[in-house]
């Protein structure tokens, strides 16, 4: 799409990133942008070799349609003079970034074309020109100021960022002012919480020494910490006093009717203390009871598996979102490439929460019940039942996104063959 920059200006072409994206983006990133502009654009790498690798990952993400990256070419179509993107374009709220103003209109149109209702963006507090563009050209609303990590030479620093959002016309959100404001507040909250979690868990040791009070809503605060020795009794009370039977059916990580349930809780504690897994709990400071449990199984693997349960009386207040983001920050601090999870098809609330914080739906898979899928696959155990679940992933390292998704696809295929074979038997 050729676009006029101004009445007398040259015509420049906007198009998606193609196979040549790595080379063209590297040229504009290294020679077209000053150090100050690169910092405002929040590129993670300052060294040229790393920057080229990063642009290669961006190109692949766009070609595979996980993100949408758009470039503005000069009148001859040779050089990139601008770069804009919608990250996680299939999410409910994709995230926008751009260098030049005319791409705002193009990216808004692209988001509307795939039925997105809201786009969000974050820009450096010092980047007044982009803030003005987003306000005047894009019609975005400033939501909040949020601390956010920025990178140079591999070191994370914290800077202030403006969180903004644009409600796209024609969406359901535009028809309800109350729903619109609620959605904007929730969006600002997720950005603020994610940034705070990333700063508080900035190294791999932090998740294992965590003891942090986090406000859940206007009235309640929880203490987030790892599982400790002798937590079995608290986990039992959480399971049978905090979780209803319906909630336990959705949280299939334990055999609730088994005589060995307490031993299973003990295994979880030991695995967390030995750092094979990471188990975190949210504790009510008033009575010391556990009101939520979240975990990353096989935390040392490139893609650990996440599980989460929230006590019935604490559901719907944002506690689950905070636990998700805390586990995400822990996985990122430990250098993990992604997080995967499964959730039952009838658990619509859990699926919405995961999508809200950036998880993508990969597939519907057949999961085993009564034994681990790996054990069933090698015929060392026999599952007692099967269930179809949503398989979702949160990509943490974009440079490894292609390899990560392929590995998960191969694993899904293996588990599907195992399930089909055991069913036939």
């Amino acid at each position: 799409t050729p676009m006029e920059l101004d009445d007398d200006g040259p015509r420049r072409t906007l198009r998606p990133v193609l196979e040549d994206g790595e080379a063209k983006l590297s040229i504009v990133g290294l020679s077209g942008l000053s150090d100050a502009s690169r910092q405002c654009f929040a590129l993670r790498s300052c060294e040229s070799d790393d920057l080229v690798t990063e642009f290669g990952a961006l190109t692949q993400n766009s070609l595979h349609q996980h993100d949408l990256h758009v470039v503005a070419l000069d009148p001859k179509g040779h050089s990139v003079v601008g770069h804009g993107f919608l990250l996680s374009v299939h999410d409910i709220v994709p995230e926008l970034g751009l260098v030049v103003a005319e791409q705002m209109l193009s990216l808004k149109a692209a988001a509307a074309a795939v039925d997105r209702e809201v786009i969000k963006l974050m820009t450096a507090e010092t980047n007044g020109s982009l803030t003005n563009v987003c306000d005047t050209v894009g019609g975005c609303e400033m939501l909040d100021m949020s601390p956010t990590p920025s990178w140079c030479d591999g070191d994370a620093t914290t800077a202030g960022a403006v969180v903004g959002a644009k409600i796209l016309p024609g969406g359901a959100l535009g028809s309800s002012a109350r729903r619109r404001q609620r959605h904007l507040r929730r969006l600002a909250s997720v950005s603020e919480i994610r940034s705070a979690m990333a700063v508080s868990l900035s190294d791999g040791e932090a998740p294992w020494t965590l003891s942090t009070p986090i406000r859940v809503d206007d009235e309640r605060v929880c203490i987030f910490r790892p599982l400790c020795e002798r937590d079995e009794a608290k986990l039992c009370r959480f399971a049978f006093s905090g979780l209803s039977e319906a909630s336990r059916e959705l949280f299939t990580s334990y055999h609730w009717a088994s005589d060995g349930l307490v031993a299973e809780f003990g295994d979880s504690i030991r695995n967390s203390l030995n750092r094979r897994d990471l188990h975190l709990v949210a504790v009510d400071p008033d009575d010391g009871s556990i009101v939520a449990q979240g975990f990353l199984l096989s935390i040392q693997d490139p893609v650990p598996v996440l599980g989460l349960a929230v006590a019935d009386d604490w559901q719907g207040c944002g506690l689950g979102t905070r636990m998700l983001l805390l586990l995400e920050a822990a996985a990122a601090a430990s250098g993990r490439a992604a997080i995967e999870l499964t959730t039952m098809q009838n658990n619509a609330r859990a699926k919405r929460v995961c999508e809200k914080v950036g998880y993508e739906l990969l597939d519907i898979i057949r999961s085993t019940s009564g034994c681990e899928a790996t054990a069933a696959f090698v015929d060392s155990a026999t599952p007692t039942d099967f269930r179809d679940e949503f398989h979702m992933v949160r990509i943490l390292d974009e440079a490894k996104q292609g390899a990560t998704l392929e590995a998960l696809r191969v694993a899904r295929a293996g588990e599907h063959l195992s399930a089909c074979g055991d069913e036939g038997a």
Side-chain angles (χ1 to χ4, degrees):
T1 306
M3 296 188 66
E4 294 280 0
L5 287 184
D6 52 54
D7 291 341
D8 300 320
R11 293 176 71 83
R12 301 186 180 181
T13 301
L14 296 182
R15 66 160 172 80
V17 167
L18 303 177
E19 293 287 353
D20 60 355
E22 179 176 342
K24 288 187 177 295
L25 290 175
S26 298
I27 292 172
V28 70
L30 294 172
S31 61
L33 297 179
S34 64
D35 288 341
S37 294
R38 281 193 291 271
Q39 289 177 5
C40 285
F41 199 45
L43 293 172
R44 292 181 64 100
S45 307
C46 292
E47 297 297 328
S48 59
D49 290 344
D50 294 334
L51 198 60
V52 172
T53 301
E54 188 172 350
F55 284 135
L58 298 183
T59 299
Q60 291 303 311
N61 290 342
S62 192
L63 292 174
H64 288 99
Q65 299 184 16
H66 302 302
D67 309 324
L68 171 64
H69 288 265
V70 174
V71 291
L73 303 177
D74 68 2
K76 295 182 180 180
H78 298 314
S79 301
V80 173
V81 295
H83 171 207
F85 57 75
L86 289 171
L87 298 183
S88 302
V89 68
H90 298 293
D91 283 1
I92 295 175
V93 183
E95 183 168 347
L96 179 144
L98 71 163
V99 174
V100 291
E102 70 268 23
Q103 289 172 314
M104 170 67 83
L105 299 176
S106 177
L107 291 167
K108 283 171 56 182
V114 292
D115 298 325
R116 302 305 92 183
E117 296 181 345
V118 183
I119 53 177
K120 67 175 179 177
L121 61 93
M122 296 180 68
T123 180
E125 184 180 3
T126 56
N127 194 359
S129 59
L130 182 56
T131 303
N132 183 60
V133 165
C134 295
D135 182 32
T136 58
V137 178
C140 292
E141 297 186 27
M142 176 178 168
L143 298 181
D144 205 348
M145 292 295 300
S146 176
T148 186
S150 59
W151 288 265
C152 190
D153 297 326
D155 295 327
T157 58
T158 304
V162 177
V163 183
K166 168 67 180 176
I167 302 292
L168 300 179
L173 291 170
S175 62
S176 169
R178 180 176 297 178
R179 184 182 176 194
R180 176 177 181 275
Q181 290 302 320
R182 185 170 64 248
H183 194 91
L184 290 177
R185 287 196 302 272
R186 185 182 300 120
L187 182 59
S189 175
V190 169
S191 297
E192 178 183 356
I193 295 166
R194 171 171 280 131
S195 298
M197 298 298 186
V199 171
S200 63
L201 294 180
S202 56
D203 64 81
E205 189 68 21
W208 312 100
T209 58
L210 182 72
S211 180
T212 303
I214 297 176
R215 181 164 295 280
V216 176
D217 54 27
D218 293 338
E219 299 179 355
R220 294 184 287 189
V221 174
C222 283
I223 307 296
F224 287 74
R225 63 165 176 83
L227 278 178
C228 301
E229 292 183 357
R230 296 182 295 278
D231 266 343
E232 291 93 338
K234 289 186 176 182
L235 287 172
C236 286
R237 285 195 294 273
F238 168 65
F240 294 103
S241 297
L243 298 177
S244 64
E245 182 177 354
S247 293
R248 288 194 297 274
E249 289 178 355
L250 296 175
F251 188 46
T252 58
S253 302
Y254 297 101
H255 299 88
W256 302 113
S258 170
D259 293 338
L261 181 61
V262 175
E264 290 184 39
F265 289 148
D267 290 340
S268 294
I269 294 170
R270 281 187 294 277
N271 288 341
S272 191
L273 292 174
N274 294 331
R275 302 194 179 186
R276 174 184 172 183
D277 308 325
L278 173 64
H279 286 261
L280 299 179
V281 290
V283 176
D284 184 349
D286 292 338
D287 59 12
S289 63
I290 292 175
V291 295
Q293 179 188 3
F295 57 73
L296 292 171
L297 299 183
S298 303
I299 181 65
Q300 306 302 332
D301 287 357
V303 184
V305 178
L306 183 144
L308 172 65
V310 177
D312 288 42
D313 289 344
W314 288 74
Q315 293 176 8
C317 67
L319 177 55
T321 298
R322 284 156 176 77
M323 181 66 84
L324 273 176
L325 295 178
L326 189 61
L327 291 168
E328 175 188 315
S334 301
R336 302 308 98 192
I339 303 170
E340 66 172 319
L341 61 83
T342 61
T343 183
M344 289 188 178
Q345 290 180 280
N346 62 342
N347 194 356
R349 171 183 282 180
K351 182 172 181 288
R352 285 196 303 269
V353 170
C354 293
E355 288 175 333
K356 182 179 70 175
V357 300
Y359 281 78
E360 304 174 43
L361 176 63
L362 293 181
D363 205 346
I364 295 175
I365 63 172
R366 177 147 292 186
S367 297
T368 60
S369 178
C371 72
E372 293 184 348
T374 303
F377 183 62
V378 299
D379 293 329
S380 65
T382 302
T384 58
D385 196 8
F386 298 91
R387 57 186 181 275
D388 292 331
E389 299 182 332
F390 292 119
H391 186 204
M392 308 183 75
V393 65
R394 169 69 174 155
I395 298 294
L396 303 177
D397 187 342
E398 292 187 358
K400 299 178 180 178
Q401 179 166 336
T404 298
L405 293 176
E406 175 62 16
L408 291 174
R409 184 194 66 78
V410 171
R412 289 199 307 274
E415 290 180 6
H416 175 73
L417 289 175
S418 172
C420 291
D422 284 325
E423 270 193 307

